[in-house]
Amino acid sequence: MSKKLGFRKALETKVKKSQVAAKKKAISIFTAMSVAHVDEEEAGSGEVRHVEKVLPRGDFYIGEWCDGLPHGNGKYLWTDGCMYVGGWFKGKIMGKGKFCWPSGATYEGEFKSGFMDGQGTFTGFSGDSYKGSWVMNLKHGQGIKNYFNGDYYEGEWRTGFQEGEGRYQWTNGIHYDGQWKNGLMNGNGRMEWSDGNSYEGCWEDGFPKGNGTFRWPDGSSYVGVWSKDVKEMNGTYNPSDSSTEKPDWDPQVVFLEYLKECKICPGEKMSILPSKKVPHWPGMGKGNDQGRPRRMSDGKLNCHSFSSDMHDVSAISEGDSKDDDDGIESLCLEDSTSRGSLPQFKTPTKRQGQTISKGHKNYELMLNLQLGIRHSVGRPGPVISLDLKSSAFDPKEKVWTKFPPEGSKHTPPHQSSDFRWKDYCPLVFRTLRKLFDVDAADYMISICGDDALRELSSPGKSGSFFYLTNDDKYMIKTIKKAEVKVLLRMLPAYYNHVRSFENTLVTKFYGLHCVKLTGTAQKKVRFVIMGNLLCTHYTIHRRFDLKGSSHGRTTSKPESEIDPSTTLKDLDLNYLFRLEKTWFEEFCRQVDRDCDLLEQERIMDYSLLVGFHFREVPTPLASGAVTPTGNADHENEEVPRLSQTGQDQLDSEPSGGSSIRLGISMPARIEKTVRKPECETQLIGEPTGVFYDVILFFGIIDILQDYDITKKLEHAYKSMQYDPTSISAVDPKQYSKRFRDFIFKIFVEDT
């Protein structure tokens, strides 16, 4: 312990000394040099020249300069001692370069828009180092990590954590080769101790779980099912040829003793990220009208100059506070001309939906639903195993429960009317909740807590109603009897699919229930509980429901009523979605797998729901206007006014990327597109070269519509009036092909 304290004190002393030295260096540079002031007259447009500039906050830049911005190679020194030397592109850190922290830590490698992105090496002040692939400040791809305590990892990373195949070597001689997930040993792998003992088999969250074999150097072994829970532990000792007696050995010693020496080192954290050190360029201040796009003689947009007057992106030093942030997370579009052709988009002041309070027509139904959920989830059940018997999926596997107002042996008294509650395939959905890592207590609190549900009217034509929990985690949808039958029919295939592919994009189902009111009405209300894809602390600025068809696929709202809560459709889409290579490859594989499942189950009419949050000022220049055809007048529009809130949330958590996965909180880029005026039904517009950094969410929804007689008649009727390829109601095989073709055109690899 004393050695560790001594090591820590030595590190702290080293950091303090390096910070003092860095600040002295900065002061000496500023006082010794005679530099040009930033307000002096600029050279002609497009001319690259060499400058030395002291910025208003005392920062210093020396290097190539063009149109009032760093462009080329240059060195930037912040007053807190941070320094960057390398490539710049129109005011942004771009290309190869080196970033140095006051502590002595460095990153040398590739940058993209200020982010560590590409191949690079981070060397920490404590001796930590990582050499490999980065994506938006996070270790992502192949990489080698050397820890300050002497540990070593080589293998795959995802969003800042070990994930995939990799080898971890401890300083005490122990090593693990195998699969990882979210920074922990997970999947199949082999660990070997320095004394020659080894374990090979299944792992879960850093511990042996499932089938595995523990071997001794003499050849004897223990084979069985492993678990930290003694009740689940079961196995057989197999002696070697030379061994005659069974040793007095408890398998739990592996958990209690052996794995104590196998802690994963957390590694060194960066005090501040390069992407947070965004300089403020005076030439881009408010009142500068260079932010408006200009038409060149050939009719193309001049994107060489752009304005950052939408938001103060001043350099944020360690300890600085952003007292000038207005806190607005919404994307606001302002009319830029008297023509008024562009709508205004404002963040709704109220949350979506109507709170179901006493007096609401569905107040009793909500109480019944909450009572039923509390009863179903809270009811004791057997230990959950992921290997379910076929009988658990039987459509007849359902449980009816009576809820009299005065209460019963199994139900509490309540203020609602007498009703009956039905659980469909309760064991299957209980197991699905475990598979999706849903805690039973949190689930009940979200749905059955003191806060009321909120009712949303259906955005589609089904007539269904949607109810959101107060924390936005879960969505409850009323469904028809036919949809219940479809879900029960496809449940075995659905279960096997989501179990096999954890990155599946299909809707997550948590429960299927029915409320039957007693008395003269005898009304039945069936509903399914699903995960809310767009549950996030980020403001969703745009959302699209995409099918790949064109007939009727535009919003019915006038432009003046479109806001961030509006669900837009295929003909409203005016973006291409650009994913980093590894994400794009995984996305393509998963869309194919999910569509194969839906096609096999004769499902059609599903959609890809896409939502995104704008992260920063667009580069080089953009219009955020959304019109039903995406044909905004570029000559008269301005760029959106964005806050930095979302940017800060991601940047401030460089190692907090565990919530990032396929379709959830994904950093990405989108490119603006424009449709040709003469092609009103053109699904995909022409790329404009205008890009935005976004946080992206997407998933496949509405997967309970099969190709029944109603849809076949709809197809026959509409085919006589419209182009058969443009309508939604088509055969599942044709629907799947058209859906994939469309999705793989609007989602592309970001090169």
Side-chain angles (χ1 to χ4, degrees):
M1 180 64 75
S2 60
K3 287 183 178 180
K4 288 184 178 178
L5 289 172
F7 179 64
R8 182 176 295 176
K9 287 181 179 178
L11 282 178
E12 289 174 353
T13 304
K14 181 180 177 183
V15 171
K16 287 179 181 178
K17 286 182 177 178
S18 62
Q19 288 176 333
V20 171
K23 289 183 178 179
K24 285 182 178 178
K25 181 181 177 183
I27 293 169
S28 66
I29 290 175
F30 295 151
T31 54
M33 282 190 141
S34 175
V35 296
H37 193 269
V38 293
D39 289 331
E40 69 182 14
E41 188 177 346
E42 295 290 342
S45 176
E47 181 184 339
V48 178
R49 61 196 182 96
H50 188 274
V51 300
E52 296 176 0
K53 290 182 178 287
V54 172
L55 282 304
R57 291 196 175 189
D59 297 344
F60 179 76
Y61 175 80
I62 179 172
E64 293 177 296
W65 191 267
C66 180
D67 291 342
L69 298 169
H71 188 76
N73 290 311
K75 177 192 291 187
Y76 194 105
L77 185 63
W78 286 265
T79 53
D80 64 358
C82 287
M83 182 176 71
Y84 170 76
V85 182
W88 295 80
F89 183 79
K90 297 179 181 176
K92 287 197 171 186
I93 295 173
M94 192 83 72
K96 292 185 178 180
K98 183 176 182 179
F99 189 92
C100 303
W101 283 263
S103 63
T106 63
Y107 169 84
E108 187 166 5
E110 296 175 305
F111 289 85
K112 187 183 290 183
S113 296
F115 292 90
M116 299 178 289
D117 198 301
Q119 294 296 311
T121 301
F122 171 79
T123 305
F125 69 87
S126 64
D128 249 19
S129 70
Y130 170 81
K131 182 179 182 180
S133 181
W134 299 75
V135 173
M136 298 190 82
N137 293 334
L138 299 173
K139 303 176 190 73
H140 191 91
Q142 288 288 334
I144 301 172
K145 173 84 173 176
N146 289 288
Y147 296 89
F148 64 84
N149 65 352
D151 290 356
Y152 169 92
Y153 173 83
E154 181 174 3
E156 295 177 288
W157 297 76
R158 175 163 287 192
T159 61
F161 294 93
Q162 297 98 327
E163 186 155 329
E165 294 286 337
R167 175 187 175 90
Y168 194 103
Q169 177 85 43
W170 284 266
T171 50
N172 53 20
I174 302 171
H175 65 266
Y176 169 84
D177 285 281
Q179 296 174 320
W180 295 75
K181 182 181 178 183
N182 201 26
L184 296 171
M185 296 166 283
N186 207 98
N188 293 316
R190 182 178 187 274
M191 178 175 284
E192 185 173 328
W193 284 264
S194 54
D195 59 6
N197 294 342
S198 66
Y199 168 83
E200 184 171 4
C202 298
W203 296 75
E204 185 177 293
D205 296 333
F207 295 96
K209 181 68 181 289
N211 295 320
T213 302
F214 189 92
R215 299 183 188 278
W216 286 267
D218 66 359
S220 54
S221 63
Y222 179 89
V223 182
V225 177
W226 293 74
S227 175
K228 285 195 292 184
D229 187 343
V230 180
K231 296 178 182 178
E232 296 180 7
M233 192 86 179
N234 182 30
T236 305
Y237 173 75
N238 300 310
S240 65
D241 295 338
S242 59
S243 177
T244 56
E245 295 183 4
K246 181 179 179 180
D248 184 17
W249 185 78
D250 182 0
Q252 285 293 312
V253 75
V254 173
F255 298 96
L256 300 174
E257 299 294 335
Y258 279 59
L259 291 172
K260 276 188 176 179
E261 305 171 349
C262 305
K263 303 294 184 184
I264 307 300
C265 183
E268 180 183 322
K269 291 186 178 179
M270 300 176 193
S271 57
I272 192 168
L273 295 166
S275 54
K276 289 281 285 184
K277 305 292 290 182
V278 181
H280 170 70
W281 302 114
M284 298 167 63
K286 293 184 178 182
N288 186 348
D289 64 357
Q290 290 180 351
R292 179 171 297 185
R294 297 186 178 128
R295 296 257 177 207
M296 304 298 285
S297 57
D298 58 1
K300 294 182 179 179
L301 289 174
N302 178 5
C303 297
H304 284 292
S305 60
F306 63 101
S307 172
S308 68
D309 63 352
M310 289 66 66
H311 181 78
D312 181 8
V313 288
S314 307
I316 303 173
S317 303
E318 299 179 60
D320 283 358
S321 62
K322 289 196 336 175
D323 53 3
D324 56 345
D325 188 2
D326 60 7
I328 300 172
E329 290 189 14
S330 64
L331 171 70
C332 300
L333 295 171
E334 300 183 352
D335 290 337
S336 58
T337 69
S338 58
R339 291 169 59 182
S341 60
L342 298 179
Q344 282 193 328
F345 294 96
K346 298 179 180 179
T347 300
T349 55
K350 294 182 180 179
R351 300 176 72 186
Q352 279 186 280
Q354 179 184 3
T355 301
I356 305 176
S357 54
K358 200 164 186 177
H360 190 283
K361 64 177 182 178
N362 288 326
Y363 179 69
E364 281 200 357
L365 179 63
M366 181 190 74
L367 292 181
N368 297 345
L369 187 154
Q370 291 177 322
L371 285 165
I373 295 292
R374 192 179 291 115
H375 172 76
S376 298
V377 178
R379 183 172 55 222
V383 177
I384 297 176
S385 169
L386 298 182
D387 297 317
L388 296 176
K389 296 179 180 179
S390 57
S391 58
F393 296 93
D394 190 334
K396 296 178 182 178
E397 187 68 19
K398 47 196 172 189
V399 179
W400 278 105
T401 305
K402 291 183 178 180
F403 279 80
E406 65 276 9
S408 67
K409 184 179 179 181
H410 303 289
T411 62
H414 58 86
Q415 298 179 347
S416 183
S417 58
D418 190 8
F419 71 94
R420 294 180 71 195
W421 171 265
K422 184 196 287 189
D423 266 331
Y424 295 92
C425 298
L427 181 58
V428 177
F429 286 102
R430 183 186 287 262
T431 310
L432 280 171
R433 291 195 292 272
K434 179 184 179 182
L435 198 62
F436 295 140
D437 294 324
V438 174
D439 180 78
D442 291 341
Y443 184 70
M444 281 196 290
I445 290 171
S446 291
I447 301 175
C448 315
D450 295 333
D451 297 311
L453 303 177
R454 305 197 312 277
E455 182 181 77
L456 310 175
S457 59
S458 171
K461 303 174 183 177
S462 64
S464 297
F465 282 90
F466 293 86
Y467 302 93
L468 269 176
T469 57
N470 189 63
D471 58 10
D472 290 334
K473 284 184 179 179
Y474 305 103
M475 185 173 284
I476 302 163
K477 178 185 178 183
T478 62
I479 58 176
K480 300 174 183 176
K481 186 176 182 179
E483 291 175 295
V484 172
K485 289 182 177 179
V486 170
L487 179 52
L488 292 175
R489 186 198 72 206
M490 69 181 290
L491 197 54
Y494 172 84
Y495 178 82
N496 291 330
H497 184 79
V498 298
R499 185 181 177 186
S500 301
F501 307 111
E502 63 176 355
N503 282 332
T504 180
L505 300 174
V506 297
T507 303
K508 288 180 169 58
F509 294 121
Y510 300 121
L512 181 62
H513 312 282
C514 175
V515 169
K516 182 180 180 182
L517 303 177
T518 57
T520 55
Q522 293 286 308
K523 181 183 178 183
K524 283 186 179 180
V525 181
R526 303 169 183 86
F527 53 90
V528 63
I529 302 177
M530 310 174 290
N532 179 16
L533 177 66
L534 301 181
C535 174
T536 173
H537 58 272
Y538 295 110
T539 299
I540 300 298
H541 294 128
R542 292 288 181 274
R543 62 192 73 204
F544 292 91
D545 180 284
L546 306 171
K547 294 186 177 183
S549 57
S550 58
H551 177 67
R553 299 297 296 162
T554 184
T555 182
S556 57
K557 285 186 176 183
E559 290 184 23
S560 58
E561 295 180 17
I562 294 175
D563 61 28
S565 67
T566 303
T567 301
L568 302 165
K569 299 181 182 179
D570 300 67
L571 291 179
D572 305 313
L573 180 67
N574 53 351
Y575 299 102
L576 293 177
F577 304 97
R578 296 187 170 275
L579 304 182
E580 183 269 333
K581 182 179 179 180
T582 53
W583 282 122
F584 177 70
E585 291 172 349
E586 176 60 24
F587 170 77
C588 293
R589 285 193 295 266
Q590 196 55 56
V591 168
D592 278 333
R593 292 166 185 153
D594 292 340
C595 286
D596 286 343
L597 168 74
L598 299 175
E599 184 181 330
Q600 168 194 318
E601 294 300 316
R602 303 285 295 164
I603 303 297
M604 43 79 68
D605 218 18
Y606 45 87
S607 310
L608 186 75
L609 179 64
V610 181
F612 51 85
H613 168 88
F614 287 100
R615 296 187 57 214
E616 59 176 344
V617 176
T619 57
L621 153 64
S623 163
V626 173
T627 60
T629 58
N631 294 326
D633 183 357
H634 288 277
E635 190 168 359
N636 296 305
E637 61 189 354
E638 290 184 355
V639 289
R641 298 177 182 263
L642 303 176
S643 82
Q644 196 78 355
T645 307
Q647 176 91 17
D648 295 340
Q649 287 167 331
L650 188 70
D651 286 350
S652 62
E653 300 176 2
S655 61
S658 58
S659 61
I660 301 174
R661 58 184 181 82
L662 189 67
I664 301 294
S665 300
M666 287 180 59
R669 291 202 307 162
I670 59 175
E671 182 178 3
K672 183 85 176 192
T673 62
V674 177
R675 288 181 178 82
K676 297 176 181 177
E678 66 273 13
C679 301
E680 292 184 1
T681 58
Q682 180 187 4
L683 275 177
I684 303 171
E686 302 298 325
T688 62
V690 176
F691 297 90
Y692 300 80
D693 289 324
V694 297
I695 304 296
L696 195 59
F697 299 80
F698 52 80
I700 298 175
I701 62 170
D702 296 338
I703 62 171
L704 297 181
Q705 178 62 60
D706 65 348
Y707 196 50
D708 57 13
I709 186 63
T710 305
K711 287 295 179 181
K712 290 177 182 177
L713 289 173
E714 180 185 342
H715 173 76
Y717 175 73
K718 288 186 176 179
S719 294
M720 292 187 290
Q721 297 178 299
Y722 311 103
D723 179 0
T725 62
S726 70
I727 60 177
S728 295
V730 294
D731 175 85
K733 187 172 184 179
Q734 182 183 345
Y735 191 96
S736 173
K737 183 181 184 304
R738 182 180 66 188
F739 180 81
R740 291 188 227 201
D741 289 345
F742 175 65
I743 296 303
F744 292 151
K745 287 178 182 176
I746 61 171
F747 279 80
V748 295
E749 182 181 338
D750 190 4
T751 54

